[in-house]
Amino acid sequence: MAEVIKTAAIWNEDEFTHLESRSTEIISAVQSGSTRQTLQGQTASTRTEAQQLLLNIIIGSISVKAYIVTKDERETGLRNLVNFGHTVGHAIEAVLTPTILHGECVSVGMVLEAEIARKLGVLGQVAVGRLTRCIKAYGLPTTVSDPRIAKLPAARQLTIKKLLDIMKIDKKNSGPQKKVVLLSRIGKTHEERATAVDDRVIATVLAEACKVVPGVPRNDPVRMATPGSKSISNRALVLAALGEGTCRLRNLLHSDDTQVMMAALNDLKGASFEWEDGGETLVVHGGRGSLTTPPKGKELYLGNAGTAARFLTTVCTLAHPSADATTQTTVITGNARMKQRPTGPLVEALLSNGSSISYLETPGCLPLAINEGFKGGHIQLAASVSSQYVSSILLCAPYASSAEGTVLELTGGQVISQPYIDMTVAMMATFGVTVTRRKNATGQLLDVYEIPKAVYRNPAAYNIESDASSATYPLAIAAITGTTCTIENIGSASLQGDAGFAKGVLEPMGCKVVQTETETTVTGPPRGQLRACGYVDMEPMTDAFLTASVLAAVATQPSLEERRVDGIAPNTTRILGIANQRVKECNRIRAMIDELAKFGVETKELDDGLEIYGKPIEELTENPSIHCYDDHRVAMAFSVLGTVVKGAVLEEKACVGKTWPNWWDDLENKIGLSVEGVELDKAPSGQVDRYSFPPYATILLTGMRGAGKSYIGKLAATVLGLEYIDADEFLAEKVGMGLSEYVKEKGWPAFRDAELEAVFELFRTKPCGAVISLGGGIVETPAAREALKSYRGPIVHVERDLEAIVKYLTEDTARPPYGDATIEEVFHRREPWYTEAATHQFYSYFRPDATEEEKAAASVALKAEIMRYFKHISGLQPNLAPNLAKVKRSYFLSLTYPDITPALPIMGDLTTGVDAVELRVDLLSPS
């Protein structure tokens, strides 16, 4: 298939359109097969429509190759075109053969060579996106980070230098240039031959990381448009797919997020898609809300696309069982981070409304198994974590089964990101459904929405605004470099809350801002003259807080008087209203604090945000390596700071593919700042050394309830002279009631949220000088496990015999029961999580059947062991063997005998000169 895609991409856009829009049919034809008995498909009379389509595609590919080879028998140039994807692909193949096939390597090569063309400015992102989607549709890899490639030991050899050296072997290449076939659009090449491309360009595209060369934008004043809004693109896709009729979506974002949304809607048979205008317009043929569960075994994989995950959770409740009734359930899942991001409030609201949804792994998170059933009527939804929950129900509410429509009541305090809810309501109106927001007697708007039962009517065309969150980056570059930038298609009339960034953040920082309904122009003050923001509430534009943070890092001039906060320095920016950013692609507040620290910038974490203390540009630390957490917003925000700080390396440049895949190219070609590729060491700076922590770092104890954490923690605190804190008692005091009572009243999800919030507070207020015993269930949520793994201090897993734990807990009624699960089931579920989170383990060896005399002796021994153990791990009194020294080698012997008896007579000889001996009892023969 790689060869077929290749010939269509270089020569025939119509053929390529068939490949991208009819991939399901083509794959089914490939998989249908033909046997000698049936001869299915071998003759016109036995050939299905899908098989005929496959045959036509293959014939078309052969015809292109035959024409090119015949036309250019002497290989004067035209024949080069069939090598599209091969210059890079062959180099990859040379390293990975025979494990990875030729076609798979060429697939990766085609995408990389398309990105080279895009970097050179001869190919647009629309074409790169179409090519990538098409290759993915046939199950082929598009990047060397594909799991099929990345897991191979040989993949470590895919260095830039090695790949360029392999390319040199090709007789067509010489010196610091390589011959590469460049596309100018789908179906057309830049030249009718391969083009000479500098090694520097190829290296930048191949590199996993990059850095921005500091300077003044060469294209000042900059005028540009950002890609289509991710938020609007995803809403438009759902609306048009659920709607009746055909809608042409223009300026749709071509990114990872919209790819997974389109793929999921296609798998649900909710709509059909085709491209017009060279991929600039997506034609959506709506399905009127008729969706079908995917084939058995087919999961909807959504990567780390939070918007798609939340929207599709409700969309999937509309999916009817397949015609043959083999599948009645739709499973949606994602990558490791997506499985940590919360969906609980949305799922709980749908469950309360009668939907049938099951958590397949961790409660409150993906993956989910979803059955048909969305009743509507009156729905209550907690909306204090994400507005996407609200939009998910709003978008699908017209198709609920209730004839009276749906009333959506938002609960749980202040609604987060109201502008995004307003965006959804406005877009629904454009597609023919009017949502009414209730008011009280005085005319004040309530958080109650009335949605009628209806069918969306697709407008003939819908133009998608440029992405306002993305617009903050080029505008911020103008602010930090003292230049001018105009962003088209984003102004005061925008549906997006982030469109207020220029007036709400940049103007108070000293920038000149001119904003019309449709465009925004920012001129920065002289370099180094930005004002601190003082207090700024960014709740209406939470995603833009990262951009504000990097500007605040160099904002040294006093903030405006009306924004200044009493008691804080005049160079302080205090950003609030962004608590939800802890549960985005990463914990963004923590990420900004940790990565700004690498520049030498001081910050302070707050419950609802952070403070940044501005520092002169010339005092910032140079050459930092910035971990991007696979988060597009982190990468693009720190690229802004990279325009004024020498050597700032952005470690994961590809993560911008989520919203602005060509950001690095636009930074160079449209803004005029050079971007260089960087080859990373094998251990990126984002990896935390969990065994290197500050002196007297607070010690955390984890383990099952009844394992002895409190007893051991108190003793450890006493011998170390530290404060002892019981996290359960701290939480009970914080919520003002007993924990059993809290769980009974609020439920387990609310308890886990409150527990994690209390732990974060302890992390902030007690970073050192304490021993904290954590609740046994702290490891139940992915967010809490990630918080523990990111903690820089000792985490001790206190273990105890299961029989002893069961006996103890059977007698304990003070704490909430485990519900339907037995103690044994909870123990086995949590055990791997405790191990994953811990840096150390401590075994509490009380036996439930021990005599009083044995218990007394064990208690004395345990106290001595606690003193030795905790003084060792805290560094107060390391318990190291006397022979261990930096200048002296030590020797270790592992005995792996199935029967140790024959070795006993020679044990003295075996262990001569050995400092430590290990006997592998797990390898001893049982007989």
Side-chain angles (χ1 to χ4, degrees), residues 13 16-17 20 123-128 130 133 184-187 254 275-282:
E13 185 177 8
F16 189 90
T17 300
E20 65 181 340
L123 183 67
Q125 170 56 27
V126 169
V128 179
R130 291 179 70 190
R133 271 195 305 275
S184 60
R185 60 175 176 81
I186 296 297
H254 289 259
W275 295 96
E276 289 182 351
D277 306 326
E280 296 289 343
T281 301
L282 177 67

Side-chain angles (χ1 to χ4, degrees), residues 265-313:
L265 292 170
N266 187 63
D267 288 336
L268 291 166
K269 299 181 176 62
S272 60
F273 305 98
E274 59 182 305
W275 295 96
E276 289 182 351
D277 306 326
E280 296 289 343
T281 301
L282 177 67
V283 183
V284 183
H285 302 287
R288 298 189 84 254
S290 176
L291 301 101
T292 306
T293 55
K296 189 174 182 180
K298 170 69 174 177
E299 296 182 344
L300 303 186
Y301 179 76
L302 308 177
N304 196 15
T307 307
R310 276 67 177 266
F311 288 5
L312 288 166
T313 296

Side-chain angles (χ1 to χ4, degrees), residues 536-549:
V536 56
D537 180 3
M538 297 195 71
E539 191 276 330
M541 50 179 119
T542 54
D543 281 358
F545 102 88
L546 299 92
T547 317
S549 296

